[in-house]
Amino acid sequence: MTKLGILISGRGSNMMALADAARAPGCPYTVALVASDKPDAPGLAWARDQGIATFALSPKGMAKADYEARIDAALREAGVEAIALGGYMRLLTDDFVARWRGRIVNIHPSLLPRYKGLDTHARAIAAGDAEAGCSVHLVTEELDGGEVLGQARVPIRPDDTPDTLAARVLEQEHRLYPQVLAAWLSK
């Protein structure tokens, strides 16, 4: 059973999907810690209500290396063996990624390698794409550049806005992320 740490910045709906899946019989992971860069993140309250340990620290006024050292220490103290990013909106430094190499996954709201970074839904619509989706990938030093472990596709409708498309993609994220994470950790 792998001890998972999940990093969030807000509501953490992907974190909730991962935590819910962890309760299923045969799931290869348990959520050992939910950590956030925003002490008032709604997802932290949800995690605490579920009996999951939490850690929160605002990076304001701290050097990035110091902040990440504190997050790293909290993850290690909780016995975390792998990390899932669940709406964590901070770029991780190369040093942090190197310390956890091969043990960090992320879900990104596009069909990677297309549309790395932000505004993925608006960019897919503007490009006239027929479909959008989400990708679970390993985290590397390159932004959204790690090996893709799984994807889910969503058709783009003629009347889609970035918000309507985002809502449908998010439904697929909640389905895909726990499945791909479980398969990856079962290897």
Side-chain angles (χ1 to χ4, degrees), residues 148-160:
V148 173
L149 303 174
Q151 292 183 317
R153 296 177 182 278
V154 174
I156 298 177
R157 299 176 183 155
D159 62 341
D160 262 330

Side-chain angles (χ1 to χ4, degrees), residues 97-185:
V97 171
R99 284 193 299 276
W100 290 90
R101 181 162 322 285
R103 297 183 291 151
I104 308 174
V105 293
N106 185 35
I107 189 152
H108 182 72
S110 80
L111 296 172
L112 291 173
R114 297 190 69 141
Y115 310 121
K116 296 177 180 183
L118 301 175
D119 303 318
T120 59
H121 307 301
R123 291 161 61 198
I125 291 169
D129 292 353
E131 61 184 4
C134 54
S135 304
V136 177
H137 66 94
L138 289 176
V139 173
T140 64
E141 290 83 354
E142 178 188 348
L143 177 66
D144 299 325
E147 176 188 353
V148 173
L149 303 174
Q151 292 183 317
R153 296 177 182 278
V154 174
I156 298 177
R157 299 176 183 155
D159 62 341
D160 262 330
T161 66
D163 289 340
T164 61
L165 181 57
R168 290 198 329 280
V169 170
L170 187 60
E171 288 176 16
Q172 293 304 309
E173 288 181 31
H174 294 165
R175 180 192 62 75
L176 180 70
Y177 208 178
Q179 290 175 352
V180 171
L181 180 65
W184 177 65
L185 291 174

